[in-house]
Amino acid sequence: MADTSPLKLDRIDRAILNELARNARISMIELGQKVGLSKTPVTARVKRLEAEGVITGYGAELSAGRLGLEHVAFLEVRLADTREQALQAFNAAVRQIAEVEECHMIAGGFDYLVKVRTRDIGDYRRVLSESISRLPHVASTSTFVSMESVRDRGVTQV
């Protein structure tokens, strides 16, 4: 199992991470200027942060509107079985549904909170009936449709 314990990060590491979170396409020269280092040491720090698993990848922010994927629904999912094997089966299967942007195990009155992004309510209904309701150990779901996204990082998969 991979080590997920927090690393000790200094002020410069945090500045690098903040700049990369804002603009992952920044050049190493410009990044170095912003955090007070030259190109070689800032590049070494970025490589270290990647190697240590702090930086896990780089990506583009995609426009939900331009891609026709503005329908967002959140589902409360209750499982019929919450033993470890059932949880692992659910986790593996839900990762395979492209429309699922996020899935969180919840402590409370239900087991998972799932964020689903689709074109429209009809497309959501298809995903619910053909994919989500067929996930292992699903006992019931409740859907909450988003009326407006106040803060949304955009589409994660097309």
Side-chain angles (χ1 to χ4, degrees), residues 3 5 10 13 16 20 25 34-35 41 43 49 51 54 64 73 103 127 134-135 140 148 155 158:
D3 183 9
S5 59
D10 66 17
D13 288 337
I16 288 169
L20 288 173
R25 296 183 67 177
K34 288 185 177 274
V35 302
T43 301
L49 291 166
V54 175
C103 180
V127 171
R134 295 181 183 177
L135 288 168
S140 67
E148 176 183 0
V155 177
V158 179

Side-chain angles (χ1 to χ4, degrees), residues 4-149:
T4 59
S5 59
L7 289 176
K8 300 254 193 262
L9 301 174
D10 66 17
R11 177 188 57 79
I12 294 174
D13 288 337
R14 291 182 190 286
I16 288 169
L17 294 171
N18 287 329
E19 289 299 329
L20 288 173
R22 277 192 283 281
N23 179 10
R25 296 183 67 177
I26 191 170
S27 72
M28 288 297 122
I29 293 170
E30 188 177 353
L31 178 59
Q33 290 170 346
K34 288 185 177 274
V35 302
L37 296 175
S38 65
K39 180 183 174 186
T40 301
V42 81
T43 301
R45 280 185 181 245
V46 169
K47 287 186 185 306
R48 179 182 52 81
L49 291 166
E50 291 169 346
E52 291 177 341
V54 175
I55 298 172
T56 59
Y58 299 90
E61 290 184 18
L62 307 177
S63 167
R66 298 293 288 172
L67 292 168
L69 296 170
E70 290 187 291
H71 186 270
V72 175
F74 296 90
L75 284 87
E76 290 181 358
V77 178
R78 288 170 189 79
L79 301 184
D81 183 355
T82 56
R83 291 175 289 184
E84 188 59 30
Q85 187 175 6
L87 297 175
Q88 288 179 9
F90 177 88
N91 293 350
V94 78
R95 287 184 188 108
Q96 302 305 309
I97 302 173
E99 294 85 356
V100 171
E101 283 196 347
E102 297 181 26
C103 180
H104 304 272
M105 185 184 289
I106 300 295
F110 55 97
D111 299 306
Y112 287 90
L113 180 64
V114 180
K115 179 183 178 187
V116 177
R117 183 181 295 274
T118 57
R119 289 187 309 275
D120 54 35
I121 193 73
D123 194 28
Y124 169 73
R125 186 173 183 274
R126 178 193 58 77
V127 171
L128 180 63
S129 65
E130 293 178 8
S131 300
I132 293 170
S133 65
R134 295 181 183 177
L135 288 168
H137 309 287
V138 170
S140 67
T141 63
S142 296
T143 298
F144 302 88
V145 175
S146 172
M147 293 174 32
E148 176 183 0
S149 292

